[in-house]
Protein backbone atom coordinates (compact mmCIF):
# COMPACT_ATOMS: atom_id res chain seq x y z
CA UNK A 1 0.00 0.00 0.00
CA UNK A 2 1.10 3.53 -0.70
CA UNK A 3 0.83 6.24 1.91
CA UNK A 4 1.70 9.91 1.90
CA UNK A 5 2.30 11.77 5.14
CA UNK A 6 2.31 15.50 5.67
CA UNK A 7 3.16 15.97 9.33
CA UNK A 8 2.57 19.74 9.45
CA UNK A 9 -1.16 20.53 9.40
CA UNK A 10 -0.41 24.26 9.59
CA UNK A 11 2.58 26.45 8.83
CA UNK A 12 3.16 30.16 8.74
CA UNK A 13 5.81 32.35 7.15
CA UNK A 14 6.61 36.02 7.03
CA UNK A 15 6.23 37.66 3.67
CA UNK A 16 9.52 37.53 1.70
CA UNK A 17 10.88 34.74 3.89
CA UNK A 18 11.44 31.08 3.02
CA UNK A 19 9.37 28.15 4.23
CA UNK A 20 9.70 24.41 3.78
CA UNK A 21 6.76 22.02 3.77
CA UNK A 22 7.53 18.40 4.48
CA UNK A 23 6.20 15.25 2.85
CA UNK A 24 7.16 11.64 3.30
CA UNK A 25 5.79 8.62 1.52
CA UNK A 26 5.88 4.89 1.84
CA UNK A 27 6.06 2.63 -1.18
CA UNK A 28 7.70 -0.48 -2.53
CA UNK A 29 7.63 0.95 -6.04
CA UNK A 30 10.92 2.07 -7.59
CA UNK A 31 9.48 4.28 -10.29
CA UNK A 32 6.97 6.97 -9.57
CA UNK A 33 6.08 10.63 -9.80
CA UNK A 34 5.70 13.09 -6.97
CA UNK A 35 3.71 16.30 -7.05
CA UNK A 36 2.87 19.32 -4.99
CA UNK A 37 -0.55 20.85 -5.54
CA UNK A 38 -1.75 24.19 -4.18
CA UNK A 39 -5.35 24.83 -3.19
CA UNK A 40 -6.09 28.53 -2.56
CA UNK A 41 -9.36 29.69 -1.00
CA UNK A 42 -10.95 29.49 -4.46
CA UNK A 43 -10.54 25.69 -3.88
CA UNK A 44 -9.10 25.14 -7.36
CA UNK A 45 -6.31 22.53 -7.32
CA UNK A 46 -3.23 23.93 -9.03
CA UNK A 47 -0.07 22.00 -9.85
CA UNK A 48 2.96 23.65 -8.29
CA UNK A 49 5.77 21.29 -9.17
CA UNK A 50 6.45 17.69 -10.21
CA UNK A 51 9.38 15.32 -9.77
CA UNK A 52 10.12 12.07 -11.55
CA UNK A 53 11.72 9.56 -9.20
CA UNK A 54 14.33 8.52 -11.77
CA UNK A 55 15.68 12.06 -11.95
CA UNK A 56 18.35 12.88 -9.41
CA UNK A 57 18.14 16.60 -9.98
CA UNK A 58 15.63 18.38 -7.80
CA UNK A 59 12.84 20.13 -9.67
CA UNK A 60 12.49 23.91 -9.52
CA UNK A 61 9.78 26.26 -10.74
CA UNK A 62 10.62 29.89 -10.12
CA UNK A 63 10.33 30.43 -6.34
CA UNK A 64 9.34 26.81 -5.72
CA UNK A 65 11.83 23.99 -5.40
CA UNK A 66 11.85 20.52 -3.95
CA UNK A 67 14.30 18.49 -1.92
CA UNK A 68 13.79 14.95 -3.14
CA UNK A 69 15.55 12.25 -1.16
CA UNK A 70 14.61 8.92 -2.66
CA UNK A 71 16.31 6.71 -0.12
CA UNK A 72 14.62 8.54 2.71
CA UNK A 73 11.32 8.70 0.79
CA UNK A 74 11.11 12.39 1.44
CA UNK A 75 9.82 15.14 -0.85
CA UNK A 76 9.79 18.59 0.73
CA UNK A 77 8.68 21.81 -0.92
CA UNK A 78 10.62 25.03 -0.41
CA UNK A 79 8.95 28.34 -1.14
CA UNK A 80 11.36 31.24 -1.39
CA UNK A 81 10.49 34.93 -1.13
CA UNK A 82 7.01 34.05 0.11
CA UNK A 83 4.17 36.19 -1.20
CA UNK A 84 0.68 36.79 0.10
CA UNK A 85 -0.68 34.84 -2.84
CA UNK A 86 1.16 31.75 -1.65
CA UNK A 87 -1.30 31.38 1.22
CA UNK A 88 -3.14 28.16 0.53
CA UNK A 89 -3.49 24.50 1.39
CA UNK A 90 -0.65 22.46 -0.09
CA UNK A 91 -1.01 18.78 -0.93
CA UNK A 92 1.77 16.34 -1.63
CA UNK A 93 0.80 13.55 -4.04
CA UNK A 94 2.39 10.29 -5.16
CA UNK A 95 1.73 8.43 -8.41
CA UNK A 96 3.28 4.99 -8.93
CA UNK A 97 4.62 4.49 -12.44
CA UNK A 98 3.50 0.91 -12.98
CA UNK A 99 -0.16 1.44 -12.34
CA UNK A 100 -0.31 5.12 -13.25
CA UNK A 101 -3.92 5.21 -12.32
CA UNK A 102 -4.23 6.37 -8.76
CA UNK A 103 -2.83 9.41 -7.05
CA UNK A 104 -2.22 9.12 -3.34
CA UNK A 105 -2.59 12.43 -1.56
CA UNK A 106 -1.33 13.62 1.78
CA UNK A 107 -3.65 15.31 4.23
CA UNK A 108 -2.41 18.78 3.39
CA UNK A 109 -0.56 21.66 5.02
CA UNK A 110 -2.29 24.99 5.46
CA UNK A 111 0.17 27.81 4.80
CA UNK A 112 -0.42 31.29 6.17
CA UNK A 113 1.67 34.19 4.89
CA UNK A 114 2.05 37.01 7.40
CA UNK A 115 2.41 40.51 5.92
CA UNK B 1 -13.17 28.73 -20.80
CA UNK B 2 -12.25 26.17 -18.18
CA UNK B 3 -10.94 22.85 -19.48
CA UNK B 4 -12.64 20.82 -16.75
CA UNK B 5 -16.05 21.94 -15.53
CA UNK B 6 -18.26 20.63 -12.77
CA UNK B 7 -21.94 21.20 -12.12
CA UNK B 8 -23.34 22.17 -9.75
CA UNK B 9 -20.70 24.18 -7.89
CA UNK B 10 -22.66 24.00 -4.66
CA UNK B 11 -25.55 21.80 -3.62
CA UNK B 12 -27.56 21.22 -0.49
CA UNK B 13 -29.68 18.11 -0.39
CA UNK B 14 -31.55 16.02 2.14
CA UNK B 15 -30.77 12.60 3.46
CA UNK B 16 -32.12 9.87 1.20
CA UNK B 17 -32.22 11.96 -1.96
CA UNK B 18 -30.53 10.88 -5.16
CA UNK B 19 -28.08 13.38 -6.52
CA UNK B 20 -25.84 13.53 -9.57
CA UNK B 21 -22.66 15.54 -9.94
CA UNK B 22 -21.53 16.15 -13.48
CA UNK B 23 -18.10 16.65 -14.97
CA UNK B 24 -17.21 17.71 -18.49
CA UNK B 25 -13.81 18.26 -20.08
CA UNK B 26 -12.53 19.76 -23.29
CA UNK B 27 -8.95 18.54 -22.88
CA UNK B 28 -9.53 15.40 -24.92
CA UNK B 29 -8.20 13.21 -22.13
CA UNK B 30 -9.25 9.59 -21.87
CA UNK B 31 -8.69 9.27 -18.13
CA UNK B 32 -11.14 10.81 -15.68
CA UNK B 33 -11.38 10.61 -11.91
CA UNK B 34 -13.68 11.49 -9.03
CA UNK B 35 -12.28 12.43 -5.63
CA UNK B 36 -13.75 13.66 -2.40
CA UNK B 37 -11.96 16.02 -0.07
CA UNK B 38 -12.62 16.10 3.65
CA UNK B 39 -10.85 18.32 6.18
CA UNK B 40 -7.82 16.56 7.59
CA UNK B 41 -8.11 13.65 5.16
CA UNK B 42 -6.86 15.11 1.91
CA UNK B 43 -8.27 13.82 -1.38
CA UNK B 44 -9.48 10.26 -1.70
CA UNK B 45 -10.31 8.48 -4.94
CA UNK B 46 -13.89 7.36 -5.45
CA UNK B 47 -13.92 6.07 -9.04
CA UNK B 48 -11.78 6.37 -12.12
CA UNK B 49 -12.24 5.64 -15.81
CA UNK B 50 -9.64 5.07 -18.51
CA UNK B 51 -12.15 5.20 -21.33
CA UNK B 52 -15.89 4.95 -21.93
CA UNK B 53 -15.91 1.20 -21.37
CA UNK B 54 -13.49 1.11 -18.47
CA UNK B 55 -14.76 2.03 -14.99
CA UNK B 56 -12.89 1.19 -11.80
CA UNK B 57 -13.56 1.54 -8.12
CA UNK B 58 -11.25 3.65 -6.06
CA UNK B 59 -10.51 3.68 -2.37
CA UNK B 60 -13.97 4.77 -1.19
CA UNK B 61 -16.59 3.74 -3.75
CA UNK B 62 -19.29 2.50 -1.36
CA UNK B 63 -22.43 4.60 -1.64
CA UNK B 64 -21.42 6.04 -5.02
CA UNK B 65 -21.86 5.08 -8.66
CA UNK B 66 -20.56 6.61 -11.87
CA UNK B 67 -21.41 6.84 -15.53
CA UNK B 68 -19.03 7.63 -18.37
CA UNK B 69 -21.43 8.90 -21.01
CA UNK B 70 -18.72 9.95 -23.45
CA UNK B 71 -15.03 10.62 -23.49
CA UNK B 72 -15.74 14.13 -22.26
CA UNK B 73 -18.34 13.37 -19.58
CA UNK B 74 -18.10 11.53 -16.29
CA UNK B 75 -20.92 11.71 -13.74
CA UNK B 76 -20.95 10.75 -10.09
CA UNK B 77 -24.18 9.69 -8.40
CA UNK B 78 -25.17 9.32 -4.80
CA UNK B 79 -28.11 6.95 -4.88
CA UNK B 80 -29.29 7.76 -1.38
CA UNK B 81 -27.36 10.62 0.13
CA UNK B 82 -26.31 10.49 3.78
CA UNK B 83 -24.81 13.24 5.95
CA UNK B 84 -21.31 11.75 6.01
CA UNK B 85 -21.18 12.26 2.25
CA UNK B 86 -21.00 15.98 2.92
CA UNK B 87 -17.70 16.95 1.30
CA UNK B 88 -15.97 18.76 -1.53
CA UNK B 89 -15.98 16.68 -4.69
CA UNK B 90 -13.44 17.02 -7.47
CA UNK B 91 -13.33 15.70 -10.97
CA UNK B 92 -9.93 15.36 -12.63
CA UNK B 93 -8.52 14.27 -15.98
CA UNK B 94 -5.14 13.12 -17.22
CA UNK B 95 -3.36 12.02 -20.36
CA UNK B 96 -0.32 9.88 -19.54
CA UNK B 97 0.87 10.11 -23.15
CA UNK B 98 1.62 13.75 -22.44
CA UNK B 99 2.05 14.07 -18.71
CA UNK B 100 0.98 12.26 -15.58
CA UNK B 101 -0.30 15.51 -14.13
CA UNK B 102 -3.96 15.54 -13.19
CA UNK B 103 -6.10 18.52 -14.18
CA UNK B 104 -8.83 19.33 -11.71
CA UNK B 105 -12.25 20.88 -12.04
CA UNK B 106 -13.35 23.67 -9.69
CA UNK B 107 -15.02 21.29 -7.25
CA UNK B 108 -18.58 20.78 -6.04
CA UNK B 109 -19.43 21.58 -2.43
CA UNK B 110 -22.10 19.07 -1.40
CA UNK B 111 -23.98 19.31 1.88
CA UNK B 112 -26.34 16.55 2.97
CA UNK B 113 -28.70 17.55 5.76
Amino acid sequence: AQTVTQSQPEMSVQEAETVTLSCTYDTSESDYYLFWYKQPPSRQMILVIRQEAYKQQNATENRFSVNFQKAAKSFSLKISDSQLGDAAMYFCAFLPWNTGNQFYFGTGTSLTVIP
Amino acid sequence: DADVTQTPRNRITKTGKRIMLECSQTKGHDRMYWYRQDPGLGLRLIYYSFDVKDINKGEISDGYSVSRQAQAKFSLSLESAIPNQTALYFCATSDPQVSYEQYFGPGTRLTVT
Side-chain angles (χ1 to χ4, degrees), chain A residues 4-19:
Chain A
V4 179
T5 302
Q6 293 180 249
S7 59
Q8 307 152 314
E10 298 179 343
M11 292 281 286
S12 62
V13 62
Q14 291 284 146
E15 193 175 5
E17 295 296 309
T18 295
V19 64

Side-chain angles (χ1 to χ4, degrees), chain B residues 29-87:
Chain B
H29 291 171
D30 286 327
R31 298 188 177 191
M32 298 187 72
Y33 307 78
W34 276 105
Y35 292 91
R36 67 175 279 175
Q37 181 184 356
D38 298 277
L41 296 179
L43 278 75
R44 293 179 293 165
L45 184 64
I46 306 172
Y47 271 95
Y48 61 98
S49 170
F50 282 4
D51 63 39
V52 175
K53 297 180 180 179
D54 180 46
I55 304 287
N56 303 279
K57 293 183 178 180
E59 179 187 358
I60 54 164
S61 60
D62 288 348
Y64 301 95
S65 62
V66 292
S67 173
R68 184 79 184 267
Q69 301 95 323
Q71 185 204 39
K73 296 184 182 295
F74 192 35
S75 301
L76 176 71
S77 293
L78 287 68
E79 297 301 325
S80 180
I82 56 177
N84 76 1
Q85 291 177 314
T86 292

Side-chain angles (χ1 to χ4, degrees), chain A residues 4-58:
Chain A
V4 179
T5 302
Q6 293 180 249
S7 59
Q8 307 152 314
E10 298 179 343
M11 292 281 286
S12 62
V13 62
Q14 291 284 146
E15 193 175 5
E17 295 296 309
T18 295
V19 64
T20 298
L21 308 183
S22 66
C23 173
T24 59
Y25 55 95
D26 188 20
T27 184
S28 58
E29 302 278 346
S30 58
D31 295 318
Y32 46 85
Y33 290 92
L34 293 159
F35 304 82
W36 278 98
Y37 278 87
K38 170 185 177 181
Q39 185 181 44
S42 67
R43 75 193 192 200
Q44 180 70 51
M45 294 287 286
I46 302 165
L47 179 68
V48 175
I49 200 164
R50 74 167 67 85
Q51 175 81 42
E52 292 87 346
Y54 65 86
K55 290 186 178 179
Q56 294 185 341
Q57 186 173 6
N58 289 324

Side-chain angles (χ1 to χ4, degrees), chain B residues 79-103:
Chain B
E79 297 301 325
S80 180
I82 56 177
N84 76 1
Q85 291 177 314
T86 292
L88 183 57
Y89 290 84
F90 283 101
C91 174
T93 74
S94 72
D95 179 0
Q97 298 298 320
V98 176
S99 161
Y100 279 93
E101 173 187 353
Q102 292 202 341
Y103 296 84

Side-chain angles (χ1 to χ4, degrees), chain B residues 4-24:
Chain B
V4 184
T5 58
Q6 292 182 234
T7 55
R9 293 294 309 277
N10 297 281
R11 179 73 181 268
I12 301 173
T13 192
K14 294 184 182 298
T15 297
K17 293 291 188 181
R18 183 179 188 275
I19 184 168
M20 179 181 288
L21 308 183
E22 298 186 341
C23 176
S24 295

